[in-house]
Amino acid sequence: MASISYTTSFTSPQLPYHTPSKPHTFRTLRVSASVSESEKPPLYAAAKPESVTLPVKKVPGGYGLPIIGPITDRLDYFYNQGKEEYFKSRVQKYQSTVFRTNMPPGPFIAKNPNVVVLLDGKSFPVLFDVSKVEKKNLFTGTFMPSTELTGGYRILSYLDPSEPSHEKLKNLLFFQLRSRASKVIPEFQSSYGELFEKLEAEIEKTGKSSFSEANDQAAFNFLARSLHGVDPTSAKLGSDGPKLVSKWVLFNLHPLLVLGLPKLLEELLIHTFSLPPALVKKDYARLYEFFYESSGFLLDEAEKNGISREEACHNFVFSTCFNSFGGMKFLFPNMMKSIGRAGAKIHTKLATEIRSVIRSNGGKIMMGAMEQMPLMKSVVYECLRIDPPVASQYGRAKRDLIIESHDAAFEVKEGEMIFGYQPFATRDPKIFDRPDEFVPDRFVGEGEQLLKHVLWSNGPENESPTVANKQCAGKDFVVLAARLLVVELFMRYDSFEIDVAKVPIGVSVTVTSLKRASF
């Protein structure tokens, strides 16, 4: 009977390699596990009979006339109302957090924009249950970008766990994370040390510095150095990585973005027809070449497990540039926004906690030391709760379902598309006190019980990614990187001040003051 054993010390939330027989636990720094092939669980848990105690209703709302209804809803979503008001107005209209509507892009990019919307923390988790919903080709929602943007391959993010390639590719990402674990902290300190030095120099010279711009380069450098072992600034790619990634991501996501162009031009240019992949082919080729040349040991591992080097490399480009870089591009500025606005009193508490723990652990930043920082950990979770890096989740009902909100149960038919807007679920007033406020110590002590309602990773924060689910393979890596940002920030500075502006993806943060550490 074949078995596989491993030991890891990557991070407190553990990184699985093969499907675990039990959920992974938190705050254990070293783990040994042996999983035999015969003990691996099926890809789907057996469907359980649904026990419904709430009144069963038909889902309210509708889709309007063909073409006209979806375009009208798209205009409301992007321009007339905006995302937040688009959903709020319909909750008020139908007196329900579950309803029917159309989601962009609609005509003529998406064949069917009709969805059942879930906007509360009780109904939303059905989107994680792969015994109830299918995730095939739904990573970006009601449309899927051309595979020409990813070398002709359907990337892991678009695969359902029932597909054979899903397990192989996700295990490959787990291998990458585990094998590069020892490089994460030192490479983060190096890359973000460069960022903070740049911020200081620019503030001294001009009185302000763009964190968001500096973060793009620091994030790309960190990911390339830590996960692939190559410094892009010393390779042919140079400092072009973030620019190339941003252009390529635009071609993947343009139907879902507002760029600030005149409405009619924007509607015709990016919301009605797909941009030709050929326009970004050379840019993507440069990224692919960089990762192919930088990932030899990973591509060797892929071949051992029946994955071609080409398919593996396209997946590494996507996971590093789209998933990880894209997540850090959105998350880190939002963290700076929330922590910066929290004020000097919270900054002092964070600095005191972080420095005290680091000093008591020999002056080094280590996994175990960060586990001793409850306020710092809570701040990271609160940032992920209030501004989840991935706002939308989709799933297609595998069978007729009964989905419960706090107030009622709703019938959803097999084949219907289900959509959840995460910021509403993670700001559910029936789950969280002061849901729209940034509460730094929300998850301290008994507050840790609320982590099951922090859902940013396509799964609850108190669960772990496996090959049997669609939870983000790099979930624990992202949490670690976010913790390191807070620790590095308050090891260097007592406090900081910022200006914030909206941009098409997330926010733009400009740092206007950095008060160096005084204790």
Side-chain angles (χ1 to χ4, degrees), residues 213-271:
E213 291 179 9
N215 178 63
D216 283 358
Q217 190 65 60
F220 190 86
N221 291 349
F222 161 64
L223 292 167
R225 293 167 180 173
S226 63
L227 297 179
H228 297 271
V230 176
D231 183 353
T233 61
S234 300
K236 286 189 294 184
L237 193 64
S239 59
D240 292 343
K243 176 182 65 178
L244 298 176
V245 172
S246 296
K247 184 177 178 181
W248 171 67
V249 169
L250 171 64
F251 274 67
N252 280 271
L253 294 182
H254 69 85
L256 306 178
L257 302 177
V258 174
L259 302 180
L261 302 173
K263 187 194 317 185
L264 180 59
L265 177 61
E266 196 163 69
E267 274 292 286
L268 292 174
L269 183 62
I270 66 171
H271 293 156

Side-chain angles (χ1 to χ4, degrees), residues 293-315:
E293 293 176 352
S294 305
S295 307
F297 76 102
L298 296 172
L299 302 181
D300 291 343
E301 179 68 17
E303 280 193 315
K304 291 177 186 176
N305 290 279
I307 306 168
S308 73
R309 298 178 80 85
E310 291 75 20
E311 181 176 10
C313 189
H314 286 296
N315 273 273

Side-chain angles (χ1 to χ4, degrees), residues 19 73 117 121 253 325-326:
T19 311
D73 284 343
V117 179
L253 294 182
F325 175 82

Side-chain angles (χ1 to χ4, degrees), residues 48-341:
K48 298 178 181 178
E50 297 175 61
S51 176
V52 180
T53 57
L54 295 169
V56 178
K57 301 180 179 180
K58 289 187 176 181
V59 180
Y63 305 120
L65 295 174
I67 301 180
I68 295 175
I71 291 178
T72 299
D73 284 343
R74 183 170 77 201
L75 293 174
D76 283 345
Y77 181 86
F78 285 130
Y79 308 108
N80 300 334
Q81 295 177 306
K83 291 181 186 178
E84 300 283 319
E85 187 57 35
Y86 180 83
F87 295 121
K88 286 180 181 177
S89 65
R90 284 154 180 77
V91 169
Q92 293 171 353
K93 179 179 179 179
Y94 303 122
Q95 292 297 295
S96 174
T97 54
V98 179
F99 54 85
R100 297 182 183 278
T101 193
N102 297 293
M103 281 299 293
F108 294 95
I109 294 175
K111 292 182 179 179
N112 185 358
N114 303 163
V115 300
V116 175
V117 179
L118 311 180
L119 295 182
D120 62 85
K122 185 175 181 181
S123 63
F124 193 96
V126 73
L127 290 162
F128 309 145
D129 188 343
V130 293
S131 72
K132 295 180 179 179
V133 299
E134 182 185 69
K135 293 284 192 172
K136 185 177 181 179
N137 296 340
L138 301 182
F139 180 66
T140 47
T142 59
F143 81 105
M144 179 182 169
S146 170
T147 57
E148 290 181 45
L149 292 166
T150 50
Y153 291 95
R154 288 175 60 235
I155 298 301
L156 174 63
S157 294
Y158 293 97
L159 301 180
D160 186 79
S162 63
E163 299 180 77
S165 294
H166 182 275
E167 180 173 359
K168 289 183 179 181
L169 290 169
K170 200 164 186 179
N171 269 334
L172 182 61
L173 295 188
F174 290 150
F175 170 82
Q176 178 189 30
L177 291 165
R178 191 177 68 255
S179 64
R180 299 294 299 173
S182 65
K183 306 299 182 182
V184 174
I185 292 178
E187 294 297 358
F188 190 95
Q189 291 178 299
S190 172
S191 299
Y192 278 81
E194 294 167 5
L195 174 146
F196 288 124
E197 289 172 5
K198 180 180 180 181
L199 294 185
E200 286 187 28
E202 289 189 354
I203 290 172
E204 185 174 348
K205 184 177 180 180
T206 67
K208 62 182 181 180
S209 181
S210 172
F211 173 84
S212 298
E213 291 179 9
N215 178 63
D216 283 358
Q217 190 65 60
F220 190 86
N221 291 349
F222 161 64
L223 292 167
R225 293 167 180 173
S226 63
L227 297 179
H228 297 271
V230 176
D231 183 353
T233 61
S234 300
K236 286 189 294 184
L237 193 64
S239 59
D240 292 343
K243 176 182 65 178
L244 298 176
V245 172
S246 296
K247 184 177 178 181
W248 171 67
V249 169
L250 171 64
F251 274 67
N252 280 271
L253 294 182
H254 69 85
L256 306 178
L257 302 177
V258 174
L259 302 180
L261 302 173
K263 187 194 317 185
L264 180 59
L265 177 61
E266 196 163 69
E267 274 292 286
L268 292 174
L269 183 62
I270 66 171
H271 293 156
T272 305
F273 303 101
S274 295
L275 295 176
L279 296 179
V280 76
K281 185 176 181 179
K282 290 183 179 179
D283 298 300
Y284 181 77
R286 287 188 66 195
L287 289 170
Y288 178 86
E289 180 183 7
F290 169 74
F291 285 100
Y292 194 90
E293 293 176 352
S294 305
S295 307
F297 76 102
L298 296 172
L299 302 181
D300 291 343
E301 179 68 17
E303 280 193 315
K304 291 177 186 176
N305 290 279
I307 306 168
S308 73
R309 298 178 80 85
E310 291 75 20
E311 181 176 10
C313 189
H314 286 296
N315 273 273
F316 285 129
V317 174
F318 198 91
S319 64
T320 304
C321 297
F322 195 109
N323 298 132
S324 300
F325 175 82
M328 293 173 71
K329 181 181 177 69
F330 179 90
L331 176 61
F332 280 15
N334 272 302
M335 290 179 64
M336 291 292 287
K337 175 198 71 176
S338 294
I339 298 170
R341 288 175 172 175

